Every structure is written in C-alpha cells, then in structure tokens.
C-alpha cells in the first residue's frame, strides 16, 4: 500500500508532468464487502461500504483526441492512446481502466475528448478492495463533470460495469462501483442488484466497541482470470437448469429439489449464492436491530460457504480468517472475488493488537509474505476535490 498525495501535491505533480494545471481533481473510494459475495451478477443482494482509501485523478481536457496517462505508482512513464482507436481494446496494466471508461461512454453515444490524466491511489492493488473500480469511478466522475454528460450515479454504475465487461474483459457485476459512487459515510450500502435500489444501513463498529480489520494477504488476484469467469458460468448454468432468470429467484426451500437436478459442482455453486443472499438479508436485519456485535456468526458462515461451496478461498485467506477468530475476532471472512486478496475480521477494540500480532506471526510461521493489516471504516462515495 502506498502513501497518497494530497490535493495540492497531486495538482503540482500534474503541472510538472503535463505543463499546465488540471481542470479538476476527483476522488473515488475502494470498498469492503461486508457480506454478499458473487451474488451481484446473480441479481442478488450485497452489503458493501466505501472505505477510507481511494483513487484520485487529476484531469485536463485536451483539444484533440489524444489521451495521456501517468500514475504515481509503478515505474512506467506516460502512456498515450487515441480516443478514436479504443474499439481495438488494446490496453495493458492500470491504463485499461480509464480507457475502458472512455470506451464505455463512447458506446453510449457520448463524444469524449482527449485528456491528460494523472492517477494516484492508496487502495491496495490486487487485494480484493476494488482498486480498479476506484480508478474507474474517479475517472467517470471527472469526465461526467468536465463533458457535461449529465449522467446520474446509476448510469455511471452501469457504464463502469460495461467498461469492466466489454473492455477490461472481467465479467463483474455492479457491486463495487455502486459502493464507490453511491456510498455515504458511516453506512453500508444494501444494494438490490436486480433494480439498483439501495438502502443505507448504519454501520458504526467503533460505537459498538469493535473495529473492522482488513487483512491483505498479498496474494494478488484478478477478476479477468478464468476462475471468476468459470464461477459465473456455473451460476448461469444453474439458473438455466432450474428454469429461473437468475439465482436470485431460488430460495432456501428450493435447494433440496435443486440438488436432484444439478451436477454436484454446479449445485455447490448455486447453494453458495442462495445461502449468501439469505445471509445478506439477515445481516441487514441484525444491523438495524441488534447492531454490529450480532453479525459475527454470519461472517463466519459466509467464509465457510465461499471456501467449501464456491471454492474461491486460498490457504492464505483461510489462515488469516482462522487465526483472527482464534485470537478474538467475533467473525471473519474473505472479501472480494476470491483466489487471493483480503479477509476482514470484526474484532473487539481491546483484542485488536492480539489479532494483528497473531495473524502476522501465523503468516511468518507458514512462510508467507507478511500481510498488510489495517482498519477500515465506512467512508463517503466519489466526490470532486478541486
């Protein structure tokens, strides 16, 4: 995780690189998904919140169709592209995210000029905390403002999903960008992925004497790899065999019949989605009635389902979750698309040092890279900073 630049520093860096001041600076946060994994593209329910780590973009519109991009992370220099040739979908590294946004806006019939763009971010990359969507949401917020496109938050969500699916090549749903664009500080975003409706759910861990730790295992993952796509294909197969539009339409009571219709692997994938949707609904109910201290068992059950039924965990994630629980966490689970990334642990404030030390020691004993452990809190969604 890198230290981020403040607004003045980012503007100064932009001037030094591109020779003029930016037209503005925008910020969009990463996210933690409290619960509801791989339910979004099944028209289901999710409960993410924006975190206090974000991507920032300084942008200046150009008079031509050239796009010049530079980041404060990595060692690459300025990357140049042309808005007229984005249909070829050729981009590498982080640049595919801003270029994908421009391409998606073009697909919607919007004329997007060239621009100079400097990206800074302190969202851990490859950790399942939506660093790529943070960049996309910051970029689309900037271009929406600078071009006068007039897109609402829901439209920007769908455009960034189109960028992910059609340009980046990652078959993701709408959860990450919904959290980044629509979040409110101090709240989780209860999102119905079928109709994009949201309800803001207060989530004050500190007020309940708790802290939510993110444990970045340093095992990088990518939504564009085959594991994510194969899980989505299994879900689509399950819905087709069961005769429903999406697995959102399958209830807990339908699982017995589904077990007789589906092959064992597809049934496990379906069972995860169905039970995960139910866990999201129960988590929302508990947060609204009993508070954060009551949701630990649901976090634990979610991890077991992802580990055993959806099979998207890994040894490092399991070790982080199991160790955090043993050291005092009231609940823990992997978060994000899986195959690496981060886990979250809901921990009594007094147990935080013990949990941190225990997880770090367990990783050292196992010979794994040292995890990055930090607390997260619900933050505001995308905003213009300058």
């Amino acid at each position: 995780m890198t230290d981020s630049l403040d607004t003045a520093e980012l503007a100064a860096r932009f001037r030094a690189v591109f020779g003029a001041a930016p037209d503005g600076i925008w910020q969009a946060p990463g996210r933690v998904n409290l619960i509801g994994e791989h339910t979004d593209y099944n028209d289901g329910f999710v409960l993410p919140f924006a975190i206090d780590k974000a991507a920032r973009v300084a942008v200046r519109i150009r008079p031509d169709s050239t796009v010049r991009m530079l980041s404060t992370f990595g060692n690459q220099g300025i990357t140049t592209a042309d808005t007229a040739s984005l249909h070829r979908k050729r981009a590498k590294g982080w640049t595919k995210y801003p270029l994908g946004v421009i391409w998606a806006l073009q697909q919607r019939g919007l004329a997007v000029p060239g621009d100079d763009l400097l990206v800074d971010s302190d969202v851990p990359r490859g950790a399942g905390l939506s660093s790529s969507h943070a960049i996309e949401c910051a970029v689309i917020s900037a271009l929406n403002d600078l071009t006068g496109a007039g897109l609402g938050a829901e439209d920007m969500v769908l455009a960034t999903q189109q960028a992910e699916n059609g340009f980046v090549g990652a078959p993701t749903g709408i959860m990450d960008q919904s959290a980044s664009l629509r979040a409110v500080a101090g709240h989780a975003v209860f999102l119905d992925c079928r109709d994009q409706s949201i309800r803001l759910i207060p989530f004050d861990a500190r007020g309940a004497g708790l802290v939510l730790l993110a444990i970045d295992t340093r095992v990088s993952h990518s939504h564009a790899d085959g594991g994510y796509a194969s899980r989505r294909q299994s879900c689509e197969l399950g819905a087709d065999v069961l005769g429903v539009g999406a697995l959102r339409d399958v209830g807990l009571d339908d699982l017995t019949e589904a077990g007789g219709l589906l092959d064992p692997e597809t049934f496990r994938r379906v069972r995860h989605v169905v039970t995960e949707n139910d866990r999201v609904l129960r988590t929302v109910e508990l947060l609204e009635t009993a508070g954060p201290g009551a949701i630990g068992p649901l976090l634990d059950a979610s991890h077991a389902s992802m580990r055993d039924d959806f099979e998207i965990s890994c040894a490092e994630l399991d070790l982080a979750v199991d160790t955090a629980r043993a050291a005092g966490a009231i609940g823990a689970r992997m978060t994000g698309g899986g195959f690496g990334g981060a886990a979250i642990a809901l921990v009594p404030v007094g147990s935080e040092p013990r949990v941190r030390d225990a997880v770090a020691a367990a990783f050292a004993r196992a010979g794994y890279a040292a995890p990055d452990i930090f607390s997260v809190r619900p933050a505001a969604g995308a905003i213009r900073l300058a």
Side-chain angles (χ1 to χ4, degrees):
M1 187 167 55
T2 59
D3 294 329
S4 61
L5 303 179
D6 63 27
T7 303
E9 291 170 333
L10 190 60
R13 182 78 65 88
F14 186 96
R15 286 193 299 269
V17 171
F18 295 114
D23 293 331
I25 297 175
W26 288 258
Q27 172 178 288
R31 67 96 189 96
V32 153
N33 190 22
L34 190 59
I35 198 164
E37 225 65 77
H38 288 264
T39 50
D40 58 345
Y41 56 78
N42 290 292
D43 281 2
F45 304 105
V46 293
L47 191 63
F49 62 82
I51 61 174
D52 47 339
K53 298 185 184 299
R56 285 155 293 278
V57 295
V59 182
R60 182 185 64 183
I61 295 298
R62 295 175 55 87
D64 54 26
S65 62
T66 299
V67 180
R68 296 191 298 175
M69 300 167 288
L70 182 69
S71 76
T72 62
F73 48 85
N75 298 316
Q76 73 275 32
I78 293 176
T79 299
T80 302
D82 192 310
T83 60
S85 62
L86 295 184
H87 60 282
R88 298 174 185 168
K89 302 179 185 178
R90 294 175 181 171
K92 295 181 179 180
W94 68 270
T95 63
K96 60 180 175 283
Y97 303 118
L99 292 178
V101 168
I102 295 172
W103 172 85
L105 292 175
Q106 290 174 336
Q107 297 302 299
R108 291 169 169 260
L110 297 172
V112 184
D115 58 77
D116 293 332
L117 183 147
L118 177 63
V119 176
D120 180 52
S121 179
D122 62 356
V123 184
R125 292 178 290 281
L129 300 178
S130 199
S131 59
S132 59
H133 288 90
I135 294 173
E136 290 169 346
C137 291
V139 170
I140 201 169
S141 297
L143 294 178
N144 189 45
D145 285 353
L146 292 174
T147 65
L151 299 177
E154 294 90 342
D155 294 323
M156 290 193 286
V157 165
L158 294 177
T160 51
Q161 183 192 24
Q162 186 177 15
E164 281 282 313
N165 295 172
F167 192 90
V168 176
T172 58
I174 63 171
M175 175 182 66
D176 296 348
Q177 48 273 79
S178 293
S180 189
L181 289 164
R182 305 179 71 184
V184 172
H187 295 74
V189 179
F190 175 40
L191 171 66
D192 183 332
C193 295
R194 172 158 284 172
D195 62 11
Q196 276 196 276
S197 62
I198 66 170
R199 191 160 95 238
L200 297 172
I201 308 298
F203 182 66
D204 181 11
R206 287 284 180 180
L210 301 166
V211 61
L212 190 71
L213 293 179
I215 306 167
D216 179 3
T217 65
R218 310 277 191 170
V219 179
S220 184
H221 77 158
S222 170
H223 279 167
D225 68 14
Y228 189 99
S230 71
R231 297 310 186 277
R232 183 160 187 165
Q233 290 165 3
S234 288
C235 292
E236 292 169 351
L237 173 62
D240 184 57
V241 172
L242 297 176
V244 295
L247 293 183
R248 151 75 169 272
D249 301 312
V250 181
L252 293 175
D253 293 340
D254 300 319
L255 286 177
T256 299
E257 180 182 1
L261 297 172
L262 301 169
D263 66 85
E265 180 179 275
T266 304
F267 174 68
R268 292 196 303 273
R269 309 299 188 243
V270 169
R271 182 169 58 189
H272 164 72
V273 173
V274 173
T275 58
E276 187 79 345
N277 274 325
D278 180 67
R279 284 186 287 271
V280 174
L281 297 177
R282 287 192 285 152
T283 299
V284 169
E285 180 181 3
L286 286 173
L287 286 176
E288 293 184 320
T289 56
I295 68 172
L298 291 169
L299 302 183
D300 293 344
S302 176
H303 184 77
S305 182
M306 290 184 288
R307 181 192 63 213
D308 300 334
D309 277 353
F310 224 60
E311 297 180 285
I312 55 173
S313 190
C314 64
E316 291 87 348
L317 284 168
D318 291 341
L319 181 62
V321 166
D322 293 344
T323 304
R325 286 189 193 125
I330 67 170
R333 64 185 287 272
M334 58 151 284
T335 187
F339 311 103
I344 56 173
L346 193 57
V347 179
V349 170
S351 300
E352 180 182 353
R354 183 167 67 251
V355 170
R356 286 176 176 266
D357 291 345
V359 172
F363 271 56
R365 287 193 301 270
Y368 299 150
D372 187 16
I373 306 172
F374 50 94
S375 63
V376 290
R377 60 177 179 83
I383 58 172
R384 183 171 184 168
L385 297 174

